[in-house]
Amino acid sequence: MDPAGGCPHADNARLLARGAVTPVVLPGDVAGMAVLGHDALKEFLAHPDVAKGAGHFTALREGRIADGWPLKTFATVQGMTTADGDDHRRLRSLVSKAFTARRVAELRPRIETVTAELLDGLGRAATDGGGVADLRRHFAMPLPMGVICELLGVDAEYHERLHHLSNQVVATDIGPKEAMAANRELVEVLSTVAAARMKDPGDDLTSALIAAREEDGDRLSPQELIGTLLLMIIAGHETTLNLITNAVRALCAHRDQLALVRSAKASWTDVVEETLRWDSPVSYFPFRYPTRDLTLDGTVVPKGTPVLAGYSAAGRDKAAHGPDADRFDITRESATRHLSLGHGPHYCLGAPLARMEATIALEQLFSRFPELDLAATEPELTRHASFVGNSVQELPVRPVP
């Protein structure tokens, strides 16, 4: 895997032509595997003999993974993403009690208001920038970051720092010292947030998580609380940020698809689902581990191997989405069959919030700036320095009313 990331689609296509499952070399010469094909990935994500707990990661358990390994947080953070069985159900149940459908639905008016305010700011930034503004910086990032932080009760003073640290955590090209420092600071910031909510509880998700208990009196441990907050900060804004960015890029490059929405022949929901399939916000997500030697699509995945879930590859798998899987088509019948928000017991708990944010963002953006277009060509855009996140670092646009 290229630690510098880049656009994954050409490499994905070459790999998929060879098979749905492939061995990969992770940073630090760590042997791993990736599941790329749609059907194989769907089977793998829900397989009863596949675990998320780091105790199943053979090389880590045997002490062959360095402390500064850039992907170590994905394996060792304590929370839902690294728990299995009853422990996973316990953690998910606790979070679900605080992350209810009612809470998400109640956020809609606030999301609509924040979106409108950010669009005002995007327009001002373009005026100050000679007609060009960075859509990620002024719109696609502060919207989901503001929403998830408001939901969690995180003060605005932490937003920019949390975004920077989140970027460091998902980066795959940074050195051991930088990786360890970013993880340490992120834990420190979130511990400060948790301590403030313990002292002064409010009507926010962090306070609810602290107070949440199962019937037998169990609750989140301090480590699980910080791990859960870390997960929600990163997953709660990085993925939606990439989703909005990738959708805008896709629509600007496919004006015929934008015209379908404007003529009511398709919906903004269709745009969101096709973007999730065609240009998944997450390219390869770490990690899952077979608890026994597992044969998947004719390929043996050895017990204890760290496996990447290849969401961007599965989204363009022609076996699942037809010979034109590389084409962006918001009327595609198979669009909703994507796996970009997961599958099985670890399906993304925040999926309804991400979909709602992206739909509101896109509808308001193109209503306010119907002639919005990119101010750079696709080759000129700098990609994420990561094979985990899938998007660009900046998106210069001309927001024309």
Side-chain angles (χ1 to χ4, degrees):
M1 304 301 295
D2 184 358
C7 182
H9 299 301
D11 287 341
N12 287 346
R14 284 193 291 270
L15 289 171
L16 272 170
R18 292 160 47 185
V21 184
T22 184
V24 297
V25 179
L26 300 167
D29 290 328
V30 175
M33 298 196 79
V35 182
L36 311 161
H38 177 278
D39 291 346
L41 182 57
K42 187 174 183 179
E43 177 185 354
F44 182 73
L45 294 175
H47 202 289
D49 296 320
V50 172
K52 293 278 281 179
H56 298 280
F57 186 172
T58 301
L60 180 66
R61 190 178 64 248
E62 294 177 351
R64 293 187 277 121
I65 302 296
D67 284 342
W69 193 50
L71 296 170
K72 193 169 184 180
T73 296
F74 288 101
T76 60
V77 64
Q78 293 190 42
M80 290 186 300
T81 59
T82 54
D84 296 303
D86 290 342
D87 200 31
H88 174 253
R89 284 186 285 273
R90 174 182 65 87
L91 292 169
R92 193 173 177 98
S93 175
L94 288 169
V95 174
S96 296
K97 289 178 181 178
F99 203 88
T100 63
R102 178 184 61 81
R103 278 184 176 269
V104 173
E106 288 174 350
L107 287 171
R108 176 176 286 276
R110 179 60 179 155
I111 293 172
E112 292 173 342
T113 299
V114 171
T115 299
E117 293 171 350
L118 289 172
L119 289 175
D120 291 340
L122 181 67
R124 289 192 296 270
T127 299
D128 295 340
V132 175
D134 179 6
L135 184 129
R136 278 180 71 89
R137 177 185 175 189
H138 296 287
F139 182 64
M141 187 280 281
L143 175 58
M145 177 58 92
V147 171
I148 194 64
C149 283
E150 186 169 324
L151 185 63
L152 291 171
V154 178
D155 293 338
E157 64 184 284
Y158 296 115
H159 291 193
E160 286 285 348
R161 194 64 191 157
L162 285 172
H163 173 60
H164 171 73
L165 294 170
S166 296
N167 270 330
Q168 294 289 93
V169 168
V170 301
T172 52
D173 69 335
I174 63 174
K177 289 184 179 179
E178 293 88 347
M180 293 175 71
N183 278 278
R184 186 165 52 249
E185 186 178 350
L186 185 53
V187 169
E188 288 173 356
V189 172
L190 294 176
S191 296
T192 300
V193 170
R197 296 284 70 81
M198 287 179 186
K199 183 178 180 180
D200 184 22
D203 186 23
D204 57 76
L205 186 53
T206 302
S207 299
L209 288 173
I210 293 169
R213 282 176 170 81
E214 289 190 314
E215 291 180 2
D216 61 2
D218 200 1
R219 64 176 179 177
L220 293 169
S221 70
Q223 294 80 13
E224 290 169 340
L225 174 62
I226 298 304
T228 299
L229 294 179
L230 186 150
L231 161 69
M232 289 188 172
I233 288 290
I234 296 177
H237 95 277
E238 287 281 352
T239 51
T240 308
L241 160 59
N242 290 348
L243 171 57
I244 294 170
T245 302
N246 292 354
V248 173
R249 288 169 50 228
L251 289 171
C252 287
H254 302 83
R255 309 300 292 199
D256 61 320
Q257 300 297 298
L258 181 57
L260 289 175
V261 184
R262 287 178 169 157
S263 62
K265 295 178 181 177
S267 69
W268 292 108
T269 297
D270 296 328
V271 173
V272 169
E273 297 305 320
E274 177 66 349
T275 302
L276 285 166
R277 180 202 72 83
W278 186 73
D279 206 9
S280 172
V282 174
S283 193
Y284 289 90
F285 193 79
F287 288 115
R288 283 173 168 82
Y289 321 96
T291 57
R292 62 173 177 82
D293 289 354
L294 191 67
T295 300
L296 201 63
D297 196 53
T299 299
V300 176
V301 184
K303 175 182 176 180
T305 300
V307 182
L308 299 172
Y311 294 117
S312 63
R316 296 198 186 190
D317 184 358
K318 294 179 180 178
H321 299 287
D324 67 341
D326 290 338
R327 185 166 62 91
F328 182 72
D329 178 7
I330 63 175
T331 66
R332 183 185 303 274
E333 290 185 3
S334 70
T336 57
R337 290 178 51 218
H338 66 78
L339 300 169
S340 292
L341 295 170
H343 176 68
H346 284 272
Y347 182 78
C348 178
L349 194 62
L353 178 59
R355 284 182 161 113
M356 183 169 69
E357 287 176 327
T359 302
I360 292 171
L362 293 170
E363 182 173 12
Q364 285 201 26
L365 175 66
F366 284 98
S367 294
R368 178 78 68 89
F369 304 113
E371 300 305 317
L372 180 139
D373 208 350
L374 304 187
T377 63
E378 189 68 25
E380 293 174 329
L381 300 174
T382 303
R383 303 286 308 199
H384 271 324
S386 170
F387 56 74
V388 178
N390 175 41
S391 194
V392 295
Q393 294 183 16
E394 297 179 346
L395 190 64
V397 298
R398 294 186 179 89
V400 181

